[in-house]
Amino acid sequence: MRFGKRGKASTDGQVGLVVSDESVTAVHIRRGDGEPPRLLARFDGPKDGGSGTLAAWVAEHRLQGVPAALTLDHGDYVIHQLDRPEVPAEELRQALRWRLKDLIDYSPADAVIDVFEAPPARQKRIEPVQVVAARASRLKPMVATINATGLDLQRIDIAEFALRNLLSRALGSLETTAVLHLRPQRGTLQICRDDKFYFARALDQGLDALSYTAGGGTFGGLADVDDRIALEAQRTMDYYDSHFGHGPVKKLLVLGRGAELQRLVDYITSALGLATRLVGAADLVSGLDENDTVAEAMPLALGGALGVA
């Protein structure tokens, strides 16, 4: 989805944002040719109230008119793989909208949808399309919050594409790569190749589970979360290899820093024989140091900004 421009920016660069019910994470970056992106400013704060708001941050850094991207967090949308209907291209979205009616828990009339092509499978057959659906009634307040600041909101992206942007545009990785992004309550493991997103697997285990089991306890009945995540990684890579036929995944990147994540990296390296390493904030963008977290929404905001033309 694209939005009209608001006028010439007072400064250059791009802004990426992630908006939740209570808070906003935003980054202002400059992307140079052949150089890693550089962080110019960062905002982590409440969505409403007081002087420490997104609008105040935009005004302070004179970002009115700067092109921006909103990245939807996991849970704000769904992706479904559907057979492509035999309709003209201009009618595709409308046809798919009503095929979603039994797959979403709200009216298709309240759905904002977009479509992207699935990479071709190993077997020659009619390829399905990937349909992204989000509630318009949930998106509208997010868009209104951003538009009220004067930022030039140009696109709305999903988390999978933001993480793909990190791989190809911040880390320069075009070979087959898996990336693991753990949040407190959940995680996502996805595979990308040649600047293309292939597929993602949602994980029920997150940073909280790693922390609990690090001390010898259990989390949700699990005593060894490292083993469970490694098993999911192996299943994901096996599916990629068998379905797409591009050969094995070359490496796994785990976003974040800390003893629990390093233990997970060491376990996966040993258990799967896969080149696995941690990727910290300073690896993604210059202007951050090793103490800055990448465990929350910042990677999604940064990846969204990298997708702005």
Side-chain angles (χ1 to χ4, degrees):
M1 182 179 297
R2 290 185 176 272
F3 298 83
K5 293 189 175 182
R6 289 175 169 266
K8 187 176 180 180
S10 59
T11 185
D12 60 354
Q14 304 87 32
V15 172
L17 308 102
V18 176
V19 180
S20 70
D21 289 334
E22 296 83 22
S23 64
V24 178
T25 296
V27 294
H28 176 215
I29 67 167
R30 180 184 295 124
R31 193 177 65 216
D33 293 336
E35 297 179 357
R38 178 165 185 79
L39 183 73
L40 303 177
R42 177 179 176 180
F43 175 82
D44 294 281
K47 188 165 67 172
D48 303 301
S51 60
T53 61
L54 177 65
W57 178 77
V58 170
E60 176 187 356
H61 294 280
R62 301 182 65 240
L63 301 178
Q64 294 90 345
V66 171
L70 167 65
T71 299
L72 301 182
D73 202 351
H74 300 286
D76 287 330
Y77 61 94
V78 293
I79 301 178
H80 289 289
Q81 181 172 286
L82 300 176
D83 291 334
R84 178 189 289 275
E86 294 184 1
V87 298
E90 62 271 15
E91 299 176 13
L92 180 61
R93 282 181 174 81
Q94 189 64 18
L96 290 169
R97 177 186 302 276
W98 296 106
R99 288 195 179 185
L100 286 170
K101 62 184 177 63
D102 296 327
L103 301 174
I104 56 178
D105 58 0
Y106 52 91
S107 169
D110 189 34
V112 176
I113 70 169
D114 204 352
V115 180
F116 64 93
E117 299 290 337
R122 180 199 299 265
Q123 300 297 325
K124 298 292 185 181
R125 59 186 179 88
I126 298 175
E127 292 297 334
V129 292
Q130 306 290 334
V131 184
V132 181
R135 297 189 75 142
S137 55
R138 178 160 178 78
L139 288 184
K140 287 178 181 177
M142 297 181 185
V143 171
T145 295
I146 297 170
N147 283 341
T149 68
L151 287 168
D152 175 14
L153 183 57
Q154 294 192 347
R155 57 186 295 120
I156 297 176
D157 255 335
I158 58 175
E160 285 84 356
F161 288 174
L163 295 179
R164 175 206 62 189
N165 293 343
L166 288 183
L167 289 180
S168 63
R169 301 173 192 180
L171 298 173
S173 177
L174 294 178
E175 62 184 347
T176 305
T177 303
V179 58
L180 176 64
H181 183 211
L182 293 180
R183 307 291 290 275
Q185 303 296 328
R186 61 186 184 274
T188 303
L189 179 68
Q190 73 179 57
I191 294 180
C192 300
R193 177 178 182 264
D194 291 337
D195 199 24
K196 291 184 176 64
F197 162 70
Y198 275 74
F199 74 101
R201 183 187 297 269
L203 304 179
D204 294 331
Q205 300 79 36
L207 295 170
D208 288 349
L210 282 180
S211 297
Y212 274 102
T213 57
T218 62
F219 189 89
L222 295 175
D224 195 343
V225 174
D226 293 357
D227 186 62
R228 178 60 64 91
I229 293 176
L231 178 61
E232 293 295 340
Q234 185 64 65
R235 288 173 174 169
T236 301
M237 293 186 296
D238 288 346
Y239 174 80
Y240 170 83
D241 189 17
S242 63
H243 186 73
F244 295 104
H246 290 313
V249 173
K250 300 295 185 181
K251 59 186 175 183
L252 169 63
L253 304 180
V254 180
L255 299 181
R257 286 283 187 255
E260 285 91 4
L261 284 176
Q262 185 60 59
R263 187 195 70 208
L264 175 63
V265 165
D266 293 342
Y267 183 86
I268 292 175
T269 301
S270 175
L272 304 185
L274 177 68
T276 307
R277 70 178 178 93
L278 287 181
V279 174
D283 300 316
L284 297 173
V285 58
S286 62
L288 291 176
D289 60 37
E290 291 301 323
N291 295 320
D292 282 288
T293 179
V294 295
E296 297 299 328
M298 195 275 284
L300 304 185
L302 175 58
L306 290 170
V308 178

